[in-house]
Amino acid sequence: MGPLVAATLLVTAGDNPERLVSEAAFAHLCGVAPVSASSGKVTRHRLDRGGDRHANSALWRIVLVRMSYDPRTRDYLERRTKEGRSQREVMRCLKRYVAREVYHHLPRA
């Protein structure tokens, strides 16, 4: 992650320190928490529309770069696509995973 993306995520976390009680709360803050969007026989999730759009955009950039250059992420993308997931659904999962990683590196008060 580059300095601008890191700064965006740090600003988001610094503006809302009371909301950083868990990694799930940070995911909600960034707008990458999964929300059920199931109907009928299909079980699906979508990303929460709430949260900081700048932080969501920063996580999107991280995922996009990882999908291009990181071999583990490309393998994950290929495996999930073979399971029947769309690229959009795989990106949703990856954004949540990146939010989890970033939360563990945030400074604690």
Side-chain angles (χ1 to χ4, degrees):
M1 132 177 31
L4 293 177
V5 172
T8 302
L9 294 172
L10 283 174
V11 166
T12 298
D15 285 346
N16 303 285
E18 69 281 352
R19 292 182 63 183
L20 299 178
V21 295
S22 68
E23 64 186 36
F26 180 68
H28 275 284
L29 178 62
C30 293
V32 295
V35 176
S36 180
S38 303
S39 63
K41 298 178 184 176
V42 178
T43 302
R44 293 195 185 270
H45 292 87
R46 65 172 178 81
L47 292 181
D48 187 6
R49 294 286 184 213
D52 187 350
R53 301 311 300 159
H54 295 290
N56 191 303
S57 177
L59 293 174
W60 178 81
R61 282 188 209 110
I62 293 170
V63 168
L64 197 63
V65 169
R66 280 188 176 188
M67 287 172 59
S68 298
Y69 297 105
D70 185 33
R72 293 177 304 154
T73 305
R74 284 191 298 217
D75 293 342
Y76 178 80
L77 176 65
E78 184 178 324
R79 179 172 49 93
R80 295 295 289 222
T81 304
K82 286 180 182 176
E83 291 175 0
R85 303 280 185 194
S86 67
Q87 185 170 351
R88 190 175 196 178
E89 291 174 322
V90 175
M91 285 187 78
R92 178 192 58 78
C93 296
L94 287 170
K95 282 168 67 173
R96 179 64 171 95
Y97 180 76
V98 170
R100 186 176 297 125
E101 283 184 341
V102 168
Y103 175 78
H104 289 292
H105 292 289
L106 290 175
R108 303 285 186 267

